[in-house]
Amino acid sequence: MLKQGTIIHGKCTSYSNEGEGVIHHDKEVIFVKGLLVNEEAEVIINYKRAGISYASIKKLLKLSPKRIKPKCPVATACGGCAFQVLDYPEQLNYKQEKVAAALKQIAKLNVKVNPCIGLDSPYYYRNKTQMPVKMINHHIVTGFYKVKSHDIVPINECAIADKRANKIAQSVVAIMEDFKIEPYNEDTRKGIIRHLLVRTSYHEKEIMLVLVTSCDSFPSRNNFINAIKKANPEITTIVQNINKRDTNVILGEQERVLYGKGYIVDSLLDIKFHISASSFFQINPITTEKLYAYIKQNLGLKKDDVLLDAYSGVGTIGMSLASNVKQVLSVEIEKSAVKDAIKNAKANGINNIKFICDDAARYINTLDKLDVLVMDPPRKGSSLEFLNAVKRLKPTRIIYVSCDPNTLARDLAILKDMYMIKVVQPFDMFPMTYHVETVVYLLRR
Ligand code: SAH
């Protein structure tokens, strides 16, 4: 067994599910973050988990021609990005192959997978950035957590966060220093500010700053807020979120609007959405619009269709397809998301959509007719109960939107005897990371 600290010379032959480079060494499997296929390196073993040794690069001995200089100087230490060192066209190839491999290995489906649709500029795309704040060597810093840890890697500019969010985070940290407002310390449970969360609107000039605090009130709050507003006039609303719990969950239940209206507005394909501090909203607005437009334009929706949008979140997919069909039924289990969805549909004058707050499987079992099913389940995929109900209802078309190729493949294996797979289209919703979003179009046999 490989001990911690052992140094090994190895060659990377493939990527793990989470984008680490894989080295096989004497029957051991080693995952190395930032090592690319065909590269050789001296690596140092850090720890072992579930039979796999995790190592970091000590010295690169043979470089891949696909290697690029990362935009972010802490790309390897930070837990956020897996692929900053891989050139972007190659990232897109990796994602296309990842989907194809999952469909082949898990679902035994040998189908054509289209090239992954990416961004023209794959940096600074995130519309939501949440950064922990900590005191390190008597200085307040903000950044992101290291891989699988609560140690912060200080970052001045995150290469995938909206540039406006980067600037605001740095400015707030400097103002905290001026006002001597202490960041929260997880060990001593002292200090005030835990996280900074910035949400930016892509289409509107609106920006929300959320100060996540460990207590209700803090010294010189009004002056502190005024200083933030003065240095960052682009901020349109500031919210205090109070999280007194000793937990990894970032946001607490209690909220107080300190400035502005307490939410921002953004739109997807010209439909406007209210986004509050805790609302779910897709974090890459450009790819999201490409994905919705792709469904609208390519996947054969008809004016007399009844469409079920299952696992609908705040209803963005159903609302953007509503003008193409007769009726949309939208089912989602989270109460607050359904509440937001109802408000948003009303504000946009979309009347042919009905929102149901329920478990998707339980609801679909109550239907007796359906033309088209759109399903966008969470990472763990759908359920056998839901898929069996689909096979009973037999909609002529299914559009499956997935954020995990493995669970997508598992679910398609259940549908494949009744449905033909017509299109598999990956989208790069999260450039620089190992994640891939996939749209699959299925036609009843
Ligand atoms: N379609 C939405 C959200 C997709 S995320 C969008 O594009 O924005 C997946 C959603 O499934 C989440 O909102 C989650 O709350 C919901 N969900 C999870 N399990 C569910 C279940 N059993 N029944 C209905 N909805 C569920």
Side-chain angles (χ1 to χ4, degrees):
M1 197 182 88
L2 294 169
K3 283 209 190 76
Q4 189 181 10
T6 311
I7 292 170
I8 279 168
H9 177 164
K11 181 172 180 180
C12 172
T13 49
S14 61
Y15 294 116
S16 71
N17 192 45
E18 299 194 356
E20 294 114 332
V22 178
I23 292 176
H24 292 273
H25 178 87
D26 290 347
K27 290 186 188 152
E28 302 249 5
V29 180
I30 308 170
F31 285 5
V32 190
K33 189 170 178 216
L35 190 64
L36 303 178
V37 163
N38 290 329
E39 289 190 328
E40 288 176 36
E42 258 178 22
V43 302
I44 179 161
I45 306 293
N46 297 324
Y47 59 93
K48 191 162 185 164
R49 201 171 281 168
I52 288 162
S53 296
Y54 289 81
S56 45
I57 299 172
K58 197 160 178 287
K59 194 172 173 195
L60 267 176
L61 302 170
K62 193 177 151 224
L63 272 67
S64 162
K66 312 288 184 196
R67 175 173 286 274
I68 57 167
K69 190 171 176 290
K71 219 179 200 39
C72 170
V74 296
T76 313
C78 174
C81 296
F83 281 126
Q84 284 223 9
V85 292
L86 184 60
D87 78 352
Y88 191 55
E90 207 53 37
Q91 288 186 32
L92 296 176
N93 289 340
Y94 159 80
K95 293 183 186 193
Q96 181 186 9
E97 283 165 17
K98 185 176 184 171
V99 174
L103 294 185
K104 194 166 168 189
Q105 284 156 19
I106 300 168
K108 309 283 174 258
L109 280 165
N110 250 325
V111 287
K112 177 177 159 235
V113 175
N114 291 341
C116 186
I117 295 177
L119 292 180
D120 295 337
S121 166
Y123 297 102
Y124 308 112
Y125 61 85
R126 285 189 66 106
N127 61 12
K128 173 175 145 184
T129 305
Q130 28 199 21
M131 302 172 99
V133 218
K134 274 198 178 167
M135 187 74 88
I136 298 180
N137 298 332
H138 308 290
H139 283 290
I140 303 174
V141 296
T142 181
F144 293 97
Y145 291 128
K146 285 185 192 164
V147 188
K148 299 187 169 74
S149 122
H150 261 207
D151 293 340
I152 283 193
V153 193
I155 291 179
N156 294 330
E157 190 190 73
C158 168
I160 60 171
D162 189 308
K163 283 191 173 176
R164 297 169 293 176
N166 280 319
K167 180 231 154 197
I168 289 168
Q170 292 310 310
S171 159
V172 173
V173 163
I175 299 168
M176 281 174 71
E177 291 262 11
D178 287 348
F179 281 77
K180 303 206 169 14
I181 293 180
E182 291 228 353
Y184 181 70
N185 180 319
E186 284 178 339
D187 301 322
T188 63
R189 302 232 201 137
K190 291 215 173 77
I192 294 162
I193 296 190
R194 301 173 69 127
H195 270 85
L196 303 177
L197 190 165
V198 183
R199 300 192 87 147
T200 49
S201 170
Y202 181 70
H203 289 287
E204 310 287 326
K205 281 199 166 58
E206 298 194 7
I207 300 178
M208 174 195 292
L209 167 68
V210 183
L211 302 167
V212 185
T213 63
S214 61
C215 48
D216 301 300
S217 58
F218 54 92
S220 34
R221 193 182 75 195
N222 289 347
N223 291 337
F224 177 58
I225 297 303
N226 284 334
I228 292 175
K229 278 158 56 179
K230 193 163 169 221
N232 305 277
E234 68 277 27
I235 296 178
T236 52
T237 186
I238 302 179
V239 174
Q240 180 187 1
N241 176 282
I242 303 149
N243 185 357
K244 295 180 184 174
R245 292 169 302 179
D246 190 12
T247 144
N248 283 343
V249 181
I250 294 174
L251 292 180
E253 310 265 306
Q254 236 181 312
E255 232 173 70
R256 181 183 294 145
V257 179
L258 301 179
Y259 165 60
K261 54 192 179 183
Y263 62 88
I264 56 170
V265 173
D266 203 352
S267 55
L268 291 169
L269 301 183
D270 292 328
I271 301 171
K272 285 192 183 335
F273 294 92
H274 277 212
I275 304 158
S276 57
S278 58
S279 299
F280 175 86
F281 197 68
Q282 293 287 358
I283 58 101
N284 180 337
I286 306 172
T287 303
T288 302
E289 286 197 324
K290 285 188 187 182
L291 192 154
Y292 291 1
Y294 183 87
I295 296 178
K296 248 172 122 75
Q297 288 157 14
N298 299 295
L299 303 187
L301 298 172
K302 301 188 194 109
K303 281 284 176 210
D304 57 350
D305 278 337
V306 174
L307 178 148
L308 173 65
D309 179 14
Y311 310 91
S312 58
V314 289
T316 46
I317 299 184
M319 277 187 237
S320 53
L321 302 179
S323 61
N324 292 54
V325 298
K326 186 168 96 192
Q327 164 90 54
V328 178
L329 306 166
S330 165
V331 61
E332 159 63 42
I333 205 161
E334 276 286 330
K335 243 190 215 150
S336 64
V338 177
K339 244 167 128 181
D340 282 349
I342 292 170
K343 256 198 316 217
N344 285 325
K346 215 178 207 169
N348 285 286
I350 301 173
N351 300 317
N352 60 335
I353 187 164
K354 191 174 135 195
F355 296 98
I356 301 102
C357 185
D358 201 348
D359 169 58
R362 193 164 47 211
Y363 178 68
I364 197 173
N365 268 313
T366 67
L367 298 179
D368 49 29
K369 191 184 173 310
L370 187 63
D371 302 307
V372 193
L373 166 68
V374 177
M375 54 189 287
D376 183 10
R379 200 159 292 282
K380 68 171 198 262
S382 186
S383 65
L384 202 52
E385 196 193 348
F386 183 88
L387 296 168
N388 283 336
V390 172
K391 288 171 95 170
R392 245 194 329 274
L393 261 177
K394 303 184 180 62
T396 52
R397 290 146 289 154
I398 301 175
I399 297 162
Y400 192 140
V401 183
S402 155
C403 56
D404 184 336
N406 297 330
T407 55
L408 167 70
R410 181 202 66 202
D411 292 349
L412 291 182
I414 293 166
L415 296 172
K416 72 176 183 180
D417 56 344
M418 189 178 273
Y419 287 88
M420 258 178 322
I421 299 197
K422 293 300 276 185
V423 180
V424 182
Q425 179 60 63
F427 286 85
D428 197 11
M429 195 68 100
F430 311 100
M432 307 297 140
T433 76
Y434 63 87
H435 295 286
V436 54
E437 195 88 1
T438 312
V439 174
V440 180
Y441 184 46
L442 301 112
L443 275 188
R444 202 176 66 205
R445 289 183 193 280

